[in-house]
């Protein structure tokens, strides 16, 4: 049997990771400025995470959600405290797409409506409802295209107000910072008006913090820069620093009932033990503050480079827009400078390093990036 060939691959086999570095099968060291799509929040193979996984794996990795799992409540309490949402409820799942599926389902249950407003360049996942609210027709199959979604320009207050005034919108779903869309940030005034209009028309506001959450923006959630509180928040990626996990934070306005939501693997013992360890590290090592400090340092230095068209971002979620396609630049960074980066569109280099990135490592990246630009 062959693998179903849907990923274009770099000809590199990564076999080991430590902190902000990974190593290939030949022992070559790479500086990781991408963190596996923003997943490796506390660095590769952090000893606290490794110890938590080893300990839990030796006792119990999984049992169903039909029995008491005290790790789930422990995680809920810790996440509520550190995020500022201790009055919300937590539903645990396996991935970001699954988190968004359940968020949209809850919104539709609550309002009795099915239309959703999303935003151009949005990415919310590849499963049924999540892909329908993703603004990429190439990955939306006929089965998923149900004409239930209206895409609006990001930060267009008038267009958003006009759409919500129709009174039939179940939910608005918006990313704290658009990742795949090119590191595009919702303006604070836009989010505040959006919150007010959702309240006015009984529409549920969903904040997709799957990529921008868990400290990446320099706040625990990126939307907290605007001072609003959404009705539902979705998380994944950095929540368990590589162990598959997702979460839905749910406002007290929603009332649960047995059977409303469900999952087989979500919130299993091993996932929860890992996620608790991640929150411990974030808190003890002040990683939210570190993301703010090192991220701003990187942004300021990148803005000094005349070759760059524009730099966008908050914290350690940074987009570097170039006046040319970046495919060869990224290839040179990997093969010659030994730096992993991401991309968005064809002309944007995307940086999503572990939140443990230091100023010295940021300087190391900047030097390698300058050399790559000079070489090309």
């Amino acid at each position: 049997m062959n693998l179903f060939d849907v990923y274009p691959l770099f000809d590199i086999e990564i076999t080991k990771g430590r902190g902000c570095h990974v190593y290939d099968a030949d022992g070559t060291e790479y500086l990781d400025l991408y963190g596996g799509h923003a997943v490796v929040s506390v660095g590769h193979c952090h000893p606290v995470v490794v110890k938590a996984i080893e300990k839990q794996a030796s006792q119990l990795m999984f049992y169903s959600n039909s029995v008491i799992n005290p790790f789930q409540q422990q995680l809920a309490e810790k996440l509520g405290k550190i995020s500022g949402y201790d009055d919300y409820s937590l539903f645990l799942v396996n991935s970001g797409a699954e988190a968004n599926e359940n968020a949209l389902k809850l919104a539709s249950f609550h309002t009795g409506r099915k239309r959703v407003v999303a935003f151009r360049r949005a990415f919310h996942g590849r499963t049924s409802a999540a892909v329908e609210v993703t603004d990429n027709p190439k990955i939306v199959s006929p089965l998923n295209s149900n004409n239930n979604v209206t895409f609006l320009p990001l930060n267009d207050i008038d267009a958003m107000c006009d759409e919500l005034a129709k009174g039939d919108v179940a939910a608005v779903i918006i990313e704290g910072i658009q990742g795949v869309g090119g590191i595009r940030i919702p303006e604070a005034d836009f989010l505040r008006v959006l919150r007010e209009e959702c309240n006015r028309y009984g529409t549920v506001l969903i904040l997709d913090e799957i990529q921008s959450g868990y400290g990446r923006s320099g706040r625990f959630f990126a939307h907290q820069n605007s001072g609003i509180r959404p009705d539902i928040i979705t998380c994944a990626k950095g929540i368990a620093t590589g162990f598959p996990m997702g979460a839905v934070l749910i406002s007290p306005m929603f009332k649960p009932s047995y059977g409303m939501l469900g999952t087989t693997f979500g919130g299993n013992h091993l996932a929860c033990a890992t996620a608790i360890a991640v929150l411990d590290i974030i808190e003890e090592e002040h990683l939210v503050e570190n993301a703010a400090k090192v991220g701003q340092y990187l942004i300021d230095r990148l803005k000094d480079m005349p070759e760059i068209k524009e730099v966008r971002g908050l914290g350690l979620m940074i987009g570097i827009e170039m006046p040319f396609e970046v495919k060869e630049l990224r290839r040179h960074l990997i093969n010659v400078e030994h730096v992993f980066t991401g991309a968005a569109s064809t002309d944007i280099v995307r940086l999503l390093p572990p939140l443990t990135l230091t100023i010295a490592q940021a300087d190391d990246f900047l030097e390698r990036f300058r050399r790559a630009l000079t070489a090309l």
Side-chain angles (χ1 to χ4, degrees), residues 300-350:
D300 291 342
R301 298 303 181 275
L302 287 165
K303 284 182 176 179
D304 290 336
M305 296 186 185
E307 302 93 336
I308 295 173
K309 182 178 178 181
E310 185 180 1
V311 181
R312 295 186 294 272
L314 288 172
L316 289 173
M317 188 169 181
I318 301 170
I320 307 169
E321 186 170 347
M322 305 301 297
F324 52 81
E325 292 190 2
V326 298
K327 183 178 180 179
E328 288 306 314
L329 173 59
R330 291 186 63 226
R331 192 182 303 278
H332 187 91
L333 282 167
I334 289 177
N335 293 333
V336 179
E337 295 296 340
H338 299 145
V339 179
F340 273 96
T341 63
S345 186
T346 59
D347 58 347
I348 298 168
V349 174
R350 195 158 40 130

Side-chain angles (χ1 to χ4, degrees), residues 80-134:
K81 179 183 177 183
I82 195 171
S83 70
Y85 282 96
D86 55 356
D87 58 331
Y88 280 42
S89 298
L90 182 65
F91 181 68
L92 295 167
V93 292
N94 304 285
S95 69
E98 190 181 355
N100 283 335
E101 292 284 340
N102 282 282
L104 291 163
K105 186 177 181 181
L106 275 174
S108 187
F109 271 140
H110 183 78
T111 62
R113 307 168 186 169
K114 64 180 181 180
R115 197 160 74 88
V116 178
V117 165
F119 295 91
R120 292 181 191 157
R121 299 191 180 95
F123 185 90
H124 297 289
R126 293 177 178 270
T127 54
S128 182
V131 81
E132 191 173 359
V133 295
T134 291

Side-chain angles (χ1 to χ4, degrees), residues 214-264:
Y214 258 73
R216 182 152 297 281
S217 72
R219 300 288 297 271
F220 195 83
F221 292 126
H223 71 264
Q224 290 172 319
N225 288 290
S226 69
I228 69 159
R229 286 171 70 86
D231 302 311
I232 302 176
I233 305 164
T234 55
C235 310
K237 294 198 184 291
I239 190 172
T241 201
F243 195 96
M245 195 177 198
V248 189
L249 281 64
I250 304 165
S251 160
M253 68 188 245
F254 297 91
K255 303 305 175 187
S257 62
Y258 291 152
M260 175 186 279
L261 305 177
T263 174
T264 297

